[in-house]
Amino acid sequence: MERNLVGDVVDKIGGKVRLKGWVDTVRDHGKITFVDLRDRTGIIQCVGANLERVSPESVVEVIGMVAARPEKLINPKIKTGSVEIQIESLKIISPAAELPFDMGTDDLNLDLPTLLDYRALTLRHPKQQAIFKVQAVIINAFRQALLKKDFVEFQAPSIISSVPEGGAEVFKVKYFDHEAYLSQSPQLYKSLLVGVFERVFSVNQIFRAEPSVTTRHLTEATSLDAEFGFIDSWKDVLEMEEYVVRHIFSEVGKECKNELALFGATLPTLSDKIPVLKLRQAQEIIFERTGRDIRAEKDLAPEDEREICKWSSEEKGSDLVFISHFVTKKKPFYVYADPEDPTYGFSVDLLGRGVEWSSGGQRLNDYEEIIEHIHDWGLKEKDVELYLQSFKYGVPPLGGFALGAERVTMHMLGLKNIREASLFPRDMERIDTRLSETTQK
Ligand code: AMO
C-alpha cells in the first residue's frame, strides 16, 4: 500500500490509508489514545485503543480507516478537522527522546535563546515552519517577477577581494597569500554583469561584521539583488522595485493565507503608488511632527524611520515609503550624484513598517566619473580593477536595488526579532558551535 499524505485524506472517508509522519501530540485517555500526526501537508487526528506508548515527535506509520467526525467534534481550526483516522496499526519508525519542552501548544512560548538553541527541534513547530514557508514564497516571488522581465539569475561569489560597500563591517578571510573578505554585497558583480546580460538578479548570502546586537541586524543575511541597464532615470529603479514588491505581496497573499493567519498578520497596505520623499523632505516632516530637529543629519536614525513610516501610513495610506537623495559622500563610490546638487545622490531606500527593507539607486556608468569617485572616496583603482574593466568597455546607464529577505519576512509577519526570520541566525554570539565537531580532522 502506497503512502498517503495527510492533506489528501479528507475526501477518502470510508477508505483505508497509510500515513507516515511525526507525532505532534499524544492525549492518553486510558484505553483510548488520540495521536495527532503531522506530515509536510498538515496535521490529522488519529484515534486507537491499546496502543503502544509513543512519545511526541517520534516518526511513525499509521494504517487506519478515514471516518467522518460527529458534527459537534469537528475542529474548524485545522483543514482535516472534519475527519479522523481510526487506527488499525501504529508502527514506530524512529522514536523521539523526551522533549525538553512542550511542543504541542499553538505557540511555543519559549524565550529567544531557547528557541534558537533547540533550532533543529523548534523549527518543527507549525508556527516556526510557517515563517520559512512565507520566506520561501517571498524569495520565489522575487525570482518570478524578475524572470518575467527578462532578468538573468547569476551566482555571486562569497569570497571577494574588495569591500564594495566600504566601512569596517567586513569579515577578513585567511585566503592563501591574499587579502580576502566575505562578500558584504554582490554589488560590484551585479553592476559589471549589466555589461554582459543587461538585466541580472541574484539571491545570495551577504556577510556583515555588525558589532552591535540589534533586533534587525544579522551577521549573515539573504540579499535579493537586482540590477539593470538602459534606465532613463533613477525613477526607473523605483518603478521596477515597486513592481517586484507588489508581486511579492500578491504571492504571499495568495499562497500564505494560513501562515499569515497563524501570526494574526496582514499584508502591508499599499496606496496607488508608493510615496517618495527626499531625505531632506522626510527630515522636515519629522521635525514638524515631533519637534525633533534632525534636519542637518546625514542619515535617518531608527526612530526617524519609524516616524516617517507612521507619516506615510497616516497621510498616504501606505505602509511603505521610498526615501531618496541621501548624502552622496555617505554612500559607496558607485552612487550617481544628482547633477542639480551633487551633495545628494540618486540613492533610494525602501522603508516598510518602520524599518529599511532595501537600498538601491542609480549608479555611475561613465568610466572617467567612476575613476574620479574612486579617488575622492580614498580608494585604489587596483582594488576594483575588474569593475573598472567593465565600464572601460561600455556599460549603459544602470541602477538596481537589494531587499533583505529576513527583514521583509520579519515585517510581513510582525516578528519582534530578525533572528526569528533566519533558520540558523548568525550574530556576534551565535554560530552553531555544536556543529563544528562534525568535521573529521
Ligand atoms: P545595504 O547595505 O543597504 O545595500 O543592504 C541591502 C539590504 O540588505 C539588508 N541587510 C541586512 N539585513 C540583516 N542584517 C544585516 N546586517 C543587513 N545588512 C543589510 C537590508 C538592506 O536594506 N549594495 C547595496 C544595495 C544596492 O544598492 O543595490 C547594499 O548592499 O534589508
Side-chain angles (χ1 to χ4, degrees):
M1 195 178 169
E2 293 259 308
R3 176 187 177 197
N4 299 98
L5 292 169
V6 167
D8 297 334
V9 298
V10 178
D11 31 270
K12 290 197 167 47
I13 292 175
K16 197 178 206 175
V17 290
R18 180 173 181 231
L19 302 172
K20 294 185 188 193
W22 288 263
V23 172
D24 201 70
T25 46
V26 186
R27 294 180 303 282
D28 214 333
H29 293 269
K31 261 190 172 170
I32 300 267
T33 307
F34 291 92
V35 174
D36 283 350
L37 182 124
R38 182 183 80 231
D39 71 9
R40 65 179 193 271
T41 61
I43 294 184
I44 192 160
Q45 174 170 287
C46 308
V47 56
N50 303 316
L51 296 179
E52 183 185 349
R53 258 185 76 87
V54 59
S55 53
E57 292 308 317
S58 297
V59 178
V60 296
E61 177 191 271
V62 167
I63 295 178
M65 297 296 285
V66 185
R69 288 205 218 177
E71 193 78 40
K72 61 180 190 328
L73 294 181
I74 287 178
N75 178 358
K77 285 209 289 195
I78 55 172
K79 275 197 220 151
T80 60
S82 59
V83 296
E84 66 182 12
I85 306 296
Q86 288 166 349
I87 301 174
E88 287 177 9
S89 74
L90 184 149
K91 189 168 100 193
I92 298 175
I93 297 172
S94 174
E98 195 184 331
L99 299 181
F101 37 73
D102 188 2
M103 292 272 290
T105 48
D106 285 351
D107 277 297
L108 265 179
N109 295 323
L110 298 173
D111 57 31
L112 191 61
T114 313
L115 187 79
L116 299 179
D117 283 347
Y118 286 94
R119 207 57 167 151
L121 191 57
T122 55
L123 281 172
R124 293 184 184 186
H125 190 274
K127 209 167 158 183
Q128 292 294 306
Q129 283 185 34
I131 299 174
F132 299 97
K133 283 191 192 157
V134 171
Q135 190 163 84
V137 170
I138 291 171
I139 294 173
N140 198 32
F142 170 81
R143 271 206 175 93
Q144 280 171 1
L146 293 170
L147 287 171
K148 275 192 203 149
K149 296 274 182 194
D150 284 346
F151 279 68
V152 172
E153 180 165 7
F154 76 99
Q155 310 303 318
S158 293
I159 301 171
I160 59 170
S161 61
S162 58
V163 183
E165 303 301 302
E169 295 157 0
V170 71
F171 289 110
K172 256 195 164 166
V173 182
K174 207 165 161 280
Y175 192 75
F176 308 109
D177 294 331
H178 303 277
E179 285 231 323
Y181 310 93
L182 291 182
S183 172
Q184 277 177 313
S185 154
Q187 181 63 46
L188 302 188
Y189 291 97
K190 69 174 178 174
S191 286
L192 79 80
L193 284 174
V194 168
V196 182
F197 298 109
E198 234 184 85
R199 299 183 153 200
V200 292
F201 75 92
S202 71
V203 175
N204 47 263
Q205 300 306 100
I206 54 167
F207 305 89
R208 310 273 171 116
E210 304 280 356
S212 58
V213 179
T214 77
T215 54
R216 59 196 202 146
H217 287 101
L218 296 161
T219 51
E220 179 173 351
T222 310
S223 183
L224 310 178
D225 272 89
E227 195 86 348
F228 59 112
F230 297 103
I231 61 171
D232 292 324
S233 119
W234 60 280
K235 292 191 174 149
D236 293 355
V237 178
L238 300 194
E239 217 166 277
M240 185 66 82
E241 183 166 6
E242 181 160 349
Y243 151 75
V244 170
V245 168
R246 282 182 191 273
H247 186 71
I248 291 175
F249 287 5
S250 139
E251 286 302 298
V252 171
K254 268 194 286 186
E255 305 285 329
C256 304
K257 285 196 183 72
N258 295 332
E259 287 74 17
L260 290 171
L262 279 177
F263 285 86
T266 48
L267 290 174
T269 309
L270 287 177
S271 48
D272 284 352
K273 201 97 198 104
I274 298 177
V276 188
L277 292 173
K278 291 183 174 170
L279 172 71
R280 291 299 182 224
Q281 290 173 315
Q283 290 172 323
E284 200 65 53
I285 291 172
I286 293 167
F287 176 57
E288 277 166 24
R289 282 170 64 94
T290 67
R292 254 181 328 107
D293 194 356
I294 46 144
R295 289 173 296 176
E297 297 296 327
K298 294 194 166 130
D299 205 349
L300 294 178
E303 59 179 324
D304 304 330
E305 294 182 344
R306 283 194 291 275
E307 185 58 36
I308 209 65
C309 282
K310 232 170 118 200
W311 168 85
S312 176
S313 129
E314 288 168 12
E315 301 294 326
K316 300 286 172 186
S318 173
D319 285 346
L320 266 56
V321 53
F322 282 118
I323 308 292
S324 71
H325 291 76
F326 286 89
V327 177
T328 306
K329 282 307 281 266
K330 292 291 283 181
K331 290 286 172 185
F333 74 91
Y334 52 76
V335 65
Y336 197 109
D338 183 349
E340 279 182 17
D341 181 359
T343 313
Y344 303 102
F346 291 148
S347 51
V348 194
D349 282 3
L350 176 65
L351 309 187
R353 291 184 165 168
V355 170
E356 178 197 308
W357 285 18
S358 83
S359 291
Q362 182 170 356
R363 333 291 187 187
L364 287 179
N365 72 307
D366 181 273
Y367 182 69
E368 297 304 332
E369 286 178 38
I370 299 175
I371 299 266
E372 214 174 287
H373 267 207
I374 285 174
H375 295 159
D376 286 354
W377 264 246
L379 302 168
K380 295 191 197 86
E381 285 176 44
K382 77 166 186 25
D383 289 343
V384 285
E385 217 171 281
L386 197 68
Y387 186 75
L388 286 172
Q389 186 182 85
S390 181
F391 289 87
K392 187 172 174 182
Y393 297 109
V395 174
L398 75 166
F401 56 91
L403 286 152
E406 294 83 0
R407 292 243 180 121
V408 178
T409 312
M410 171 185 180
H411 291 284
M412 204 86 106
L413 292 174
L415 306 176
K416 291 204 172 65
N417 194 307
I418 196 167
R419 287 159 186 76
E420 292 178 66
S422 171
L423 279 171
F424 305 105
R426 298 289 185 254
D427 60 27
M428 278 169 78
E429 306 296 332
R430 199 167 285 280
I431 180 171
D432 290 348
T433 42
R434 286 161 302 162
L435 285 184
S436 61
E437 299 303 317
T438 56
T439 344
Q440 288 199 339
K441 300 250 161 65

